[in-house]
Amino acid sequence: MIETKPPQALSLFDLIGREWMLDHAVTRVSFNANATAVACVLQNGTLAMLPVADAEDPEQRIRMDLETGRTTIRPRENPPQPEVRTDLRDIGGASCRLGEQGFAIAGAGGSLWQVTARGQTVRIADDGVAPITALCCVGPAHFCVARGAHLSLLDVEGRSEKATCHLPAPVDQMATSPDGTLLAARSASHFMILDARTMEILSEIPAEGVVTTLAWSPDGRWVAGGCEDKALLLVDVSRKQADRIVDFPGPVASVAFNAKAGVLVASGAFRVVGWRLPDLPFGTHEGDSILTGKPGLTLVDCVASNPKRETCAVGYANGLVTICPLGQRDELMLCEGRGAPVSAMDWSQDGTHLALGFADGRAAIVSFPKAMFK
């Protein structure tokens, strides 16, 4: 007698996700502005581009049974289109969106490169007097380049310099406010708040901590920074003061504001940590905390807020990825943990696609059908 086993059930990721194996750990993923490509920076200093266009888009594979009204999605039949490897080597730590389709990438020796959605590379600037330590998109028409303590505001189209300034200390992180008017530049012990259009220094705010990521609140009042030393740094721009929320179980590798829900969320604990705006914890005020998802035994490594919905993606040290409604205990499992940590996440600006990077070299794009959110 021949024993037959039932076919293994497909997971949600099998139905709406695509996966690539990129050989080296993925340290950063980022959509371009019009969501046609995802740039994956790899640990070996190279760059891979993933196409967002999908011949078997999940939206096209959805079917509704006319008798029962039940909605189903048929499995994918073909593998995804392969990634495109660029000829860039020794990529620096800095990158940002550039225009509608491309990216600005810091190269070795202080050079600056433009990378298109198809992986074509164009040198924007030769090796400079100093390495590029930070890059930041400033609205659709400009971007800012930091070479240590020197900042330059450049035009996206002509690459001409529109404004410049020299700060008291080297800059290693930058972020632009949602309305594009303010720029936060982080040095080892201070935040500089600048006018993003003129590079005029508006305030200098002392703030300790080894900051690895920055995020602005929707109203432009707060800048949140995740710190390697297991702390969350909050800067009240209006009051020109900073405070640290300490004693996280692990490094706070990611922070994110959600404009739709009006909340701040952070990684570094055994569940998603969050507070409602505008009552963030500051000084003696404990803030209005929220509970999102369920507590577990594995640290949350990454959080990424959906720009259009009151949800966030959550990545864990064991590779598990979930989608959580903010302020609720519900969770939707997206990817089962395979042991390799989630190392990077990014949403497309329309909230339809989620890019994922893993420490074992996997990268993925998950495309959510509209029917999932009705």
Side-chain angles (χ1 to χ4, degrees):
M1 180 177 179
I2 300 175
E3 182 181 355
T4 59
K5 295 182 179 180
Q8 186 176 2
L10 294 175
S11 68
L12 177 61
F13 179 81
D14 293 330
L15 294 173
I16 66 174
R18 289 170 285 162
E19 188 174 84
W20 292 260
M21 195 65 201
L22 303 181
D23 304 327
H24 297 274
V26 180
T27 60
R28 188 164 60 255
V29 294
S30 180
F31 282 92
N32 59 359
N34 65 0
T36 58
V38 174
C40 300
V41 179
L42 307 183
Q43 194 174 46
N44 69 338
T46 61
L47 184 71
M49 305 294 290
L50 309 181
V52 177
D54 184 5
E56 294 185 86
D57 186 274
E59 205 76 59
Q60 301 174 10
R61 292 183 279 118
I62 289 179
R63 297 290 183 269
M64 177 179 289
D65 190 293
L66 297 179
E67 293 184 1
T68 64
R70 182 184 177 189
T71 299
T72 59
I73 179 169
R74 65 173 176 80
R76 181 183 297 276
E77 296 178 356
N78 300 298
Q81 183 180 342
E83 77 279 3
V84 176
R85 301 294 182 110
T86 73
D87 56 1
L88 289 181
R89 297 291 187 271
D90 300 322
I91 295 172
S95 65
C96 71
R97 295 187 180 100
L98 186 68
E100 282 295 306
Q101 299 186 35
F103 300 88
I105 305 287
S111 60
L112 183 63
W113 296 80
Q114 176 185 0
V115 180
T116 70
R118 296 184 178 181
Q120 298 168 319
T121 58
V122 178
R123 187 189 290 264
I124 297 175
D126 294 329
D127 295 357
V129 294
I132 295 173
T133 55
L135 286 170
C136 182
C137 175
V138 183
H142 301 92
F143 66 108
C144 188
V145 180
R147 295 182 183 272
H150 184 80
L151 269 59
S152 298
L153 182 68
L154 303 180
D155 182 76
V156 167
E157 294 298 330
R159 317 286 189 255
S160 60
E161 191 173 74
K162 298 299 182 182
T164 184
C165 71
H166 195 82
L167 302 181
V171 171
D172 52 26
Q173 292 281 334
M174 293 191 298
T176 313
S177 62
D179 63 2
T181 62
L182 297 176
L183 176 71
R186 167 70 183 173
S187 67
S189 59
H190 287 77
F191 269 93
M192 299 290 180
I193 306 300
L194 300 93
D195 186 315
R197 298 155 295 189
T198 65
M199 294 290 103
E200 176 189 358
I201 301 174
L202 303 178
S203 60
E204 180 178 350
I205 305 170
E208 299 293 335
V210 185
V211 177
T212 58
T213 182
L214 296 179
W216 279 86
S217 65
D219 61 0
R221 174 185 171 183
W222 298 95
V223 178
C227 301
E228 286 185 358
D229 52 350
K230 301 180 181 181
L232 172 65
L233 184 62
L234 292 175
V235 178
D236 189 332
V237 176
S238 60
R239 294 165 58 183
K240 301 180 182 179
Q241 295 178 348
D243 196 11
R244 279 166 53 89
I245 314 303
V246 297
D247 296 332
F248 277 71
V252 182
S254 57
V255 294
F257 287 92
N258 185 286
K260 192 89 172 174
V263 302
L264 166 67
V265 291
S267 64
F270 292 99
R271 73 182 307 162
V272 178
V273 178
W275 297 268
R276 294 196 182 278
L277 294 167
D279 293 325
L280 298 183
F282 202 87
T284 59
H285 182 58
E286 296 184 356
D288 183 9
S289 62
I290 62 170
L291 298 178
T292 297
K294 299 173 183 176
L297 300 176
T298 306
L299 282 173
V300 173
D301 275 4
C302 299
V303 292
S305 173
N306 190 304
K308 297 296 183 181
R309 299 184 177 92
E310 297 183 20
T311 61
C312 71
V314 185
Y316 291 85
N318 62 358
L320 173 69
V321 180
T322 64
I323 303 295
C324 296
L326 293 165
Q328 300 181 33
R329 297 177 183 269
D330 297 337
E331 293 179 333
L332 173 66
M333 187 177 73
L334 186 60
C335 300
E336 293 186 24
R338 301 187 198 172
V342 181
S343 54
M345 286 181 166
D346 189 38
W347 285 96
S348 61
Q349 292 183 347
D350 62 1
T352 299
H353 309 283
L354 173 66
L356 303 170
F358 296 86
D360 62 357
R362 285 179 294 132
I365 299 176
V366 183
S367 301
F368 293 88
K370 295 177 182 178
M372 286 190 63
F373 301 99
K374 289 184 178 180

